[in-house]
């Protein structure tokens, strides 16, 4: 879940973004001169074109502000079409996406929080006729099956978690908490694309909007680990969690999934690791961050492997580097395994967290180029 970052985390994000962006030359079928220039600052979000042809679109983003920012492209209802987090001050990045004809909003979010500074834009016409490699259509179909299965498999585990909460079984609920989140963490960008589900089930206390009621996993996490007491209100929250996740399960099959969306989603999952899991902010009460960490990485790797037949053809060196870095992250995570899960994250030292952060950075940089590698030339 994306939430407000502390100044320290923002500073770390800025540094890691500078490292990741350096030398990152993305490829696209769109000429650089055709890219939509997005210039972000602490008080503005300027776009070079408010109308452009639908189809494969490249956004060239530059952060001229003093704060780490993120850029979103929203469809009506705040459905996320694409995004990029952790854009440090004085750095640039590019985003390749497939945009259908319609009305959108481009939002820059200084400090990576809030509603953002928004500009209305439109994609016109029917767009460039799809000339996808059939392997990409296969990748999309298989990924759609994957995200549906993750949702289907999540509900029974969450039901057991909710049942334990409603029975006031504190220890039982604690054991089921982290496993109940794995499917969600693997496919979080798809869930977030709907706009309204994620704030109900995965928001942290510091990510609440003004007037927003706190519901979902993390509200229950606080009761289980910090207050160490289950109340009648928690019983209601458990029921609400089931209701909201059933909505996710029902709607996930309708998600707009594209090859570039899969690639960008894989990068978003790495951003989640860097800004929430490595810092220990995500699971601040339970310290089960490494379970989420693993789920995010598994989801990113699934997208990559499905896209690899095309990516390896278009950019063999990139595929080789991604294979190497995914293996490195997996090997490092294995050091922290304990039984069927992982050690409590509060036992991981600062120097060890730094190694995890460095490994994620080493993977995130080439992963940011995956979308460009699957765009048909």
């Amino acid at each position: 879940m994306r939430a407000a970052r502390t100044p320290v985390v923002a500073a770390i994000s800025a540094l890691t973004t500078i490292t990741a962006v350096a030398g990152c030359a993305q490829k696209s079928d769109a000429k650089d001169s055709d890219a939509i220039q997005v210039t972000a600052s602490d008080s503005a979000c300027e776009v070079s074109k408010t109308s452009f042809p639908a189809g494969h679109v490249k956004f060239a983003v530059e952060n001229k502000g003093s704060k780490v920012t993120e850029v979103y492209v929203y469809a009506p209802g705040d459905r996320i079409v694409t995004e990029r987090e952790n854009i440090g001050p004085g750095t640039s990045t590019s985003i390749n996406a497939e945009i259908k004809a319609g009305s959108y909003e481009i939002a820059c979010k200084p400090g990576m929080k809030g509603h953002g500074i928004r500009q209305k834009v439109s994609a016109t016409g029917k767009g460039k006729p799809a000339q996808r490699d059939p392997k990409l259509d296969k990748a999309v179909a298989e990924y759609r099956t994957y995200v549906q299965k993750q949702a289907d498999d999540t509900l029974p585990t969450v039901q057991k978690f909710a049942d334990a909460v409603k029975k006031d079984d504190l220890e039982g609920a604690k054991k089921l908490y982290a496993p109940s989140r794995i499917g969600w963490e693997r496919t979080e960008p798809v869930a977030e694309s709907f706009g309204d589900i994620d704030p109900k089930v995965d928001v942290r206390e510091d990510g609440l909007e003004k007037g927003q009621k706190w519901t979902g996993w993390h509200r229950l996490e606080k009761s289980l680990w910090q207050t160490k007491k289950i109340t009648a209100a928690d019983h209601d929250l458990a029921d609400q969690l089931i209701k909201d996740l059933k909505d996710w399960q029902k709607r996930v099959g309708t998600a707009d999934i594209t090859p570039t969306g899969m690639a960008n989603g894989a990068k978003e999952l790495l951003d989640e690791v860097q800004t929430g899991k490595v810092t220990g902010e995500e699971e601040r009460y339970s310290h089960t961050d490494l379970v989420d960490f693993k789920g995010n990485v598994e989801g990113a790797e699934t997208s990559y492997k499905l896209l690899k037949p095309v990516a390896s053809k278009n950019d063999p060196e990139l595929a080789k580097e991604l294979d190497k870095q995914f293996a490195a992250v997996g090997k490092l995570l294995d050091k922290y395994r304990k039984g069927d899960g992982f050690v409590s994250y509060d036992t991981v030292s600062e120097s060890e967290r730094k190694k995890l952060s460095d490994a994620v950075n080493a993977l995130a940089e080439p992963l940011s180029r995956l979308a460009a590698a699957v765009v048909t030339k």
Side-chain angles (χ1 to χ4, degrees):
M1 169 64 195
R2 287 144 179 81
R5 272 64 166 178
T6 65
V8 172
V9 176
I12 292 172
S13 297
L15 178 60
T16 56
T17 301
I18 291 170
T19 302
V21 171
C24 179
Q26 296 194 351
K27 301 175 183 177
S28 173
D29 60 343
K31 298 177 182 178
D32 287 341
S33 59
D34 294 332
I36 311 303
Q37 307 294 323
V38 181
T39 305
S41 68
D42 296 344
S43 59
C45 185
E46 300 174 357
V47 296
S48 61
K49 302 175 185 177
T50 57
S51 180
F52 47 83
H56 287 299
V57 180
K58 182 175 182 178
F59 298 93
V61 182
E62 182 179 8
N63 182 5
K64 291 188 175 181
S66 63
K67 301 175 182 178
V68 179
T69 195
E70 54 191 11
V71 171
Y72 286 73
V73 177
Y74 287 116
D78 275 4
R79 182 177 61 81
I80 300 172
V81 178
T82 191
E83 65 173 295
R84 183 60 51 84
E85 292 190 20
N86 302 325
I87 307 168
T91 66
S92 300
T93 189
S94 59
I95 309 169
N96 289 278
E98 293 174 49
I99 309 291
K100 295 180 179 179
S103 298
Y104 300 89
E105 287 186 323
I106 294 177
C108 303
K109 297 187 179 183
M112 299 198 295
K113 60 183 180 180
H115 183 72
I117 304 165
R118 302 195 176 198
Q119 294 284 355
K120 294 184 182 296
V121 298
S122 61
T124 60
K126 296 182 179 179
K128 185 179 178 180
Q131 295 181 352
R132 280 186 192 163
D133 186 315
K135 292 177 182 177
L136 291 178
D137 290 326
K138 182 174 183 288
V140 168
E142 291 183 2
Y143 186 69
R144 191 177 294 281
T145 298
Y146 172 75
V147 296
Q148 185 65 63
K149 186 175 188 303
Q150 294 305 308
D152 292 344
D153 290 350
T154 292
L155 263 296
T157 307
V158 177
Q159 186 65 63
K160 291 178 182 178
F161 169 67
D163 289 345
V165 170
K166 294 176 70 174
K167 291 176 183 176
D168 297 328
D169 181 0
L170 188 69
E171 293 305 315
K174 283 183 175 181
K175 290 178 182 178
L176 288 163
Y177 171 77
S180 76
R181 290 175 49 74
I182 294 174
W184 173 272
E185 292 294 336
R186 287 171 177 158
T187 60
E188 196 165 0
V190 175
E192 288 183 336
S193 72
F194 296 113
D196 60 336
I197 297 177
D198 183 83
K200 295 177 183 177
V201 304
D202 199 31
V203 69
R204 303 196 303 262
E205 190 169 15
D206 59 344
L208 293 170
E209 299 290 343
K210 186 177 180 179
Q212 180 183 350
K213 182 181 178 181
W214 191 16
T215 59
W217 270 300
H218 294 303
R219 176 63 186 85
L220 290 167
E221 178 200 7
K222 185 175 183 179
S223 292
L224 297 175
W225 274 272
Q226 186 174 80
T227 63
K228 300 179 181 179
K229 182 180 180 181
I230 297 174
T231 66
D234 293 323
H235 297 175
D236 292 339
L237 285 168
D239 285 337
Q240 186 64 45
L241 179 62
I242 292 294
K243 179 181 178 181
D244 292 333
L245 288 173
K246 283 184 177 179
D247 184 30
W248 164 56
Q249 180 189 30
K250 180 180 179 180
R251 292 164 64 185
V252 73
T254 69
D256 185 9
I257 298 173
T258 64
T260 53
M262 289 169 59
N264 288 329
K267 175 59 169 60
E268 290 164 27
L269 286 170
L270 265 290
D271 289 340
E272 286 282 318
V273 173
Q274 191 62 266
T275 59
K277 282 67 174 185
V278 170
T279 62
E281 286 192 280
E282 180 79 7
E283 307 291 357
R284 61 192 62 179
Y285 310 114
S286 65
H287 305 300
T288 56
D289 302 271
L290 290 173
V291 178
D292 291 357
F293 188 134
K294 180 65 173 175
N296 285 160
V297 172
E298 286 176 342
E301 188 167 19
T302 296
S303 290
Y304 163 59
K305 285 184 175 179
L306 291 174
L307 296 170
K308 184 179 175 181
V310 174
S312 60
K313 178 182 177 182
N314 290 342
D315 194 339
E317 289 303 313
L318 175 63
K320 187 185 298 184
E321 182 66 14
L322 285 170
D323 287 340
K324 174 184 173 182
Q325 298 303 337
F326 269 116
V329 170
K331 183 177 180 180
L332 186 57
L333 267 176
D334 285 342
K335 292 175 55 179
Y336 302 99
R337 287 192 177 276
K338 183 179 181 181
D340 294 333
F342 290 88
V343 301
S344 180
Y345 199 57
D346 58 348
T347 67
V348 179
S349 69
E350 287 300 319
S351 62
E352 291 173 317
R353 293 185 185 197
K354 177 65 165 55
K355 290 178 182 178
L356 288 167
S357 178
D358 289 344
V360 171
N361 274 338
L363 171 57
E365 190 282 322
L367 199 58
S368 71
R369 293 183 272 134
L370 180 59
V374 299
V375 173
T376 305
K377 305 295 187 293

